Amino acid sequence: MSTTTPSRVGIVGAGTICREAHLPVLTNLFEADLAFVADVDGERARRTTRGYAVRGITVSDPEDVPECDACLLAVPVGVRDPYIAELGRRGTAMFTEKPFATDEKTHQRRLSAAGDTPITCNYTRLQFAATQQLRALVASGLFGSLERVSLSHDLVGPTNVSPGSYRLNPRLSGGGILAETGCHAVSQLVSILGGYDLRVASSEFRWADDIEVEVDARLRAVPADQGHLPGGAESATVELTLSRVTPCGTHGRLVFEDATVTFDPVAADANVTVELPNGAQRSVLAFAPAEDDVTTFLQAFSQEWRTLLRAVRETETWSDERRERETGLAVTSVISDIYGDQRGEAAA
Amino acid sequence: MTVAVVGGNGHIGMELCLLLREAGETPRPLVRNRIGAAFFEAHDIDARVVDVTDDEAAEKALRGVDAVVVSARTDVERQSPSEVKATNRALVTGAVENAPTDAAAILFSSVSAIDPSSFYGHAKRYEEAILSSACASADIPGYALRLGHVLGPRQHWSRTLSEYVGDRDDLELSVAPDRHSNVVHTVTVCDAVLACARRDPEPGTYTVVNVPQWTWQEVFEFYAASGTRMRFYPPETDEQSIARRVVSAGASLLEPYRGAVFRALDYVPDRAYYELRGRYKQRLAAEDLLERIERTRLDLFVFDYESMPGPFLSDLPETRERLDQERAVEAVFGLHGA
């Protein structure tokens, strides 16, 4: 029998991600006791919480956010600063939606404002088995040196963006396809290529006014520690393509000296497929998630919450390095470099 | 002809726009925001960012069109039933009332509306009624097209079928091969739209499926490589349903009395015990085999649909003859930077 006392968890931002993921997941975690769901639109908060044993409330001033042990910030990145400052002042652990920030200066400012409290960002795909398997694969050097990585996400089709949505305002959203969705792909690249520094060689954007709708970035993955990576690995080329305009397909591919590995970067239950040259023939092996791996988005969300709530329960103190890793400072750095000076009026 | 498509960047709307262009017509996608318009701008199609429930903006956006297609809607995933009705009503009436007086109005309904016992079918019937009423008021011809299960390069059903077929050498399908599939390729949807835009048929409600109707065998032959072996297991007779009946019958009979049954074995002759043991082993095997069957055999809810009744639009070209047009869509949706 569990003797865990649940932590009180609050939610600020009763939008889609709260409704579709965080709220149903949190109500199913014994580690969490939902305290409130707050929104500037109180009616939306109440509508979202119907059917749940938690109150929906109106909050437009961060100082009015009720007390809790951990708080989800599911508000647009452009309005997050005052909430981080207030919750940091209180020592409340924080779980922010992605991206944490889109430039390093803002990222560090927010970490500083959060104080010493555990803080993490919802880079869900880092929980995917494929992401974790590939990280281990790259680190092992099993298939020789890494030559090329490509990751693309095809978003052509319905935008699911209503008129008046914050996603049409880069000051609120942080940007377009790169900040909004591409941050997940970048987080996967950063994780999988853990022993490498990612340096942007070039990036091309296509804009719909001030919102980027296509990004084509070329990076170099340079071994961070030549002695650490097997075989004296040299740099690898990395291609990142995200588009609402040009159907590019959704795929991930790592080309090694001795094998080509592919996976679906957006599927929580993706297999990792390895193609090995075998003389005149090719052998194809597929590796499924292991028994205890997550296989759905909601399971991935629950793992992230469990990590944070364990930190709360055990009053863990996270080092700066841990906090930077949990909030994806390296992700922010790459995103910022990809934008370069091409960002329109996107908010930091 | 110029054909406006409300919801032009939806899955069906997008392919429709590309196919209309391929057919030499002028699509005019209407989308809600500039992100949605970006795709069309990149492919030289004149998209308009407009809220069709805004009469002034909608009238301007629909000026000069020969037909307006309503391919946009909301659903209960996002809104309550009453909100869904209100939103979809506003979309249909906005499109119809602001269309030119010599235009035709076309609503993408669904074969689900034929049996409105599902929420979706019921909602589609409602939209059809709104179309009819709005068109009568505006005195423009209205066509409700009840689309079958839509196939096309970017359609959900095509992806489902392609993913199952994959590179399998053997397909196992829980459907009779000659059962009508009720599928419709987007090329035929486009032909139906153009026929209505030309006012060929009388205004009314029509079922749109492939011409002629494809069987499920034809559907899977379309997606599978040649030489792929297909085995069909019509649900009434195949061993999957037999196994299910065995499992459920045995379980339902014994379950309440499990403890008593085991105790009673002390008193039965050995012959009876062996008889029961044999039947028990059969049941365990049935459960075991059923697990794999359910994992590997494709069983879609659409397999259960009866052949859809008409009326159908007459004189539409045969779907197979039109599939070449899909290459225009595939060309746009080809790999980027390959």
Side-chain angles (χ1 to χ4, degrees):
Chain A
M1 186 170 98
S2 169
T3 57
T4 302
T5 303
S7 303
R8 289 169 306 151
V9 178
I11 295 178
V12 178
T16 304
I17 199 66
C18 164
R19 182 185 72 236
E20 296 295 322
H22 289 288
L23 191 52
V25 164
L26 283 165
T27 54
N28 281 287
L29 292 183
F30 68 82
E31 299 98 321
D33 178 15
L34 271 171
F36 61 85
V37 174
D39 198 280
V40 294
D41 179 347
E43 180 49 39
R44 180 165 67 174
R46 284 183 285 279
R47 197 165 55 233
T48 295
T49 55
R50 292 225 165 83
Y52 291 92
V54 63
R55 57 191 172 125
I57 59 175
T58 309
V59 165
S60 52
D61 186 334
E63 288 183 10
D64 294 335
V65 173
E67 292 287 338
C68 55
D69 300 314
C71 189
L72 168 68
L73 290 180
V75 293
V77 69
V79 301
R80 231 174 259 166
D81 280 323
Y83 289 96
I84 292 177
E86 174 61 24
L87 294 170
R89 186 188 63 75
R90 298 181 194 179
T92 305
M94 285 175 258
F95 189 147
T96 78
E97 263 299 324
K98 50 76 196 167
F100 190 79
T102 55
D103 69 270
E104 283 190 63
K105 191 171 153 195
T106 302
H107 196 121
Q108 291 289 15
R109 185 180 76 236
R110 287 176 179 167
L111 281 181
S112 177
D116 294 333
T117 189
I119 181 166
T120 191
C121 182
N122 191 16
Y123 285 121
T124 324
R125 295 191 202 170
L126 300 183
Q127 302 294 326
F128 293 179
T131 306
Q132 295 175 359
Q133 287 169 349
L134 290 167
R135 180 183 170 87
L137 192 61
V138 169
S140 73
L142 186 62
F143 296 130
S145 58
L146 179 64
E147 296 173 353
R148 195 166 83 248
V149 179
S150 64
L151 211 159
S152 71
H153 192 174
D154 182 337
L155 287 147
V156 174
T159 62
N160 296 317
V161 175
S162 307
S165 166
Y166 77 93
R167 291 168 64 186
L168 294 171
N169 183 346
R171 287 192 182 280
L172 294 180
S173 66
I177 196 173
L178 176 59
E180 258 286 310
T181 307
C183 57
H184 282 301
V186 173
S187 77
Q188 285 175 296
L189 286 173
V190 166
S191 177
I192 290 168
L193 302 175
Y196 293 81
D197 290 329
L198 289 173
R199 299 175 191 172
V200 177
S202 67
S203 56
E204 290 179 13
F205 288 77
R206 193 195 292 259
W207 300 88
D209 297 336
D210 55 351
I211 299 177
E212 77 275 9
V213 291
E214 182 171 277
V215 176
D216 207 342
R218 298 289 182 264
L219 303 92
R220 300 291 303 169
V222 178
D225 175 354
Q226 288 282 1
H228 174 69
L229 290 170
E234 298 176 2
S235 66
T237 58
V238 179
E239 301 160 0
L240 175 66
T241 306
L242 314 155
S243 185
R244 290 196 178 278
V245 169
T246 309
C248 52
T250 298
H251 66 259
R253 182 190 304 273
L254 290 83
V255 179
F256 295 87
E257 191 180 350
D258 299 327
T260 298
V261 179
T262 56
F263 71 111
D264 180 346
V266 308
D269 60 349
N271 288 350
V272 168
T273 303
V274 178
E275 202 173 321
L276 298 162
N278 183 14
Q281 294 187 329
R282 301 188 78 78
S283 300
V284 179
L285 310 171
F287 298 94
E291 274 285 316
D292 53 356
D293 282 332
V294 305
T295 54
T296 69
F297 274 87
L298 296 188
Q299 290 168 12
F301 275 59
S302 74
Q303 286 300 104
E304 293 178 290
W305 272 111
R306 289 206 153 103
T307 301
L308 183 72
L309 293 176
R310 183 171 58 240
V312 169
R313 197 165 62 243
E314 297 175 6
T315 55
E316 288 178 9
T317 303
W318 286 4
S319 64
D320 286 346
E321 189 197 344
R322 171 93 190 257
R323 295 165 81 247
E324 286 171 0
R325 191 173 67 250
E326 291 283 343
T327 57
L329 178 60
V331 179
T332 298
S333 176
V334 172
I335 289 173
S336 181
D337 288 347
I338 293 175
Y339 274 121
D341 58 5
Q342 297 190 62
R343 199 189 308 242
E345 294 181 335
Chain B
M1 283 193 290
T2 299
V3 179
V5 182
V6 180
N9 65 331
H11 294 298
I12 300 175
M14 195 172 270
E15 283 193 36
L16 175 64
C17 288
L18 293 168
L19 289 166
L20 284 168
R21 183 173 69 172
E22 181 66 13
E25 313 297 345
T26 304
R28 186 182 295 175
L30 305 188
V31 299
R32 290 187 296 175
N33 57 64
R34 59 193 187 283
I35 299 176
F39 169 83
F40 294 107
E41 284 163 13
H43 295 283
D44 299 317
I45 292 177
D46 175 26
R48 308 288 172 93
V49 177
V50 65
D51 175 358
V52 294
T53 65
D54 176 337
D55 288 337
E56 191 182 334
E59 189 274 331
K60 192 173 164 196
L62 291 169
R63 225 170 264 167
V65 305
D66 298 287
V68 56
V69 176
V70 181
S71 182
R73 65 186 308 277
T74 186
D75 55 44
V76 287
E77 291 280 326
R78 285 170 251 195
Q79 296 183 300
S80 71
S82 67
E83 288 166 339
V84 166
K85 272 190 171 172
T87 300
N88 292 337
R89 178 174 62 238
L91 285 169
V92 174
T93 54
V96 172
E97 289 170 1
N98 294 299
T101 53
D102 57 352
I106 301 165
L107 169 72
F108 280 170
S109 181
S110 164
V111 290
S112 295
I114 292 171
D115 172 15
S117 57
S118 69
F119 184 83
Y120 183 61
H122 175 71
K124 280 299 187 185
R125 277 279 182 109
Y126 178 77
E127 290 163 44
E128 290 175 2
I130 296 298
L131 175 82
S132 177
S133 168
C135 286
S137 294
D139 195 23
I140 66 172
Y143 300 90
L145 300 183
R146 292 175 172 174
L147 306 183
H149 320 305
V150 183
L151 301 180
R154 296 276 288 195
Q155 301 307 311
H156 158 72
W157 280 118
S158 293
R159 194 163 53 246
T160 300
L161 297 173
S162 298
E163 279 174 3
Y164 175 73
V165 169
D167 51 6
R168 288 177 198 244
D169 296 320
D170 296 278
L171 304 182
E172 297 191 359
L173 308 156
S174 293
V175 68
D178 57 352
R179 190 173 180 80
H180 279 166
S181 65
N182 302 309
V183 300
V184 62
H185 276 84
T186 45
V187 291
T188 295
V189 173
C190 181
D191 287 339
V193 164
L194 289 173
C196 296
R198 287 190 303 263
R199 329 271 186 107
D200 291 348
E202 287 295 314
T205 302
Y206 296 91
T207 302
V208 182
V209 293
N210 273 1
V211 180
Q213 256 269 34
W214 284 22
T215 64
W216 281 111
Q217 179 160 356
E218 287 174 297
V219 172
F220 284 98
E221 284 171 350
F222 180 75
Y223 285 100
S226 73
T228 302
R229 290 179 292 271
M230 291 187 226
R231 291 188 64 187
F232 293 87
Y233 298 90
E236 297 77 31
T237 57
D238 77 295
E239 71 263 27
Q240 180 180 6
S241 58
I242 290 170
R244 280 205 193 107
R245 285 202 292 272
V246 166
V247 168
S248 62
S252 64
L253 280 174
L254 290 178
E255 202 51 45
Y257 311 106
R258 185 181 285 271
V261 167
F262 287 145
R263 285 195 300 278
L265 288 176
D266 281 346
Y267 303 99
V268 302
D270 286 354
R271 185 177 160 180
Y273 160 75
Y274 287 113
E275 171 90 20
L276 287 170
R277 189 181 74 175
R279 288 172 188 244
Y280 178 63
K281 293 288 184 190
Q282 284 181 64
R283 186 186 144 205
L284 283 185
E287 285 177 354
D288 198 303
L289 298 178
L290 191 59
E291 187 274 332
R292 184 178 180 278
I293 287 170
E294 288 177 344
R295 244 189 310 123
T296 58
R297 193 173 296 171
L298 187 63
D299 189 0
L300 302 172
F301 72 89
V302 291
F303 288 165
D304 293 337
Y305 279 47
E306 298 294 335
S307 182
M308 290 298 150
F312 302 97
L313 294 166
S314 55
D315 300 326
L316 289 185
E318 278 204 21
T319 300
R320 275 193 203 279
E321 291 172 9
R322 303 287 286 151
L323 286 172
D324 276 357
Q325 304 283 308
E326 273 192 354
R327 296 215 181 98
V329 178
E330 285 164 1
V332 167
F333 291 132
L335 284 175
H336 169 68

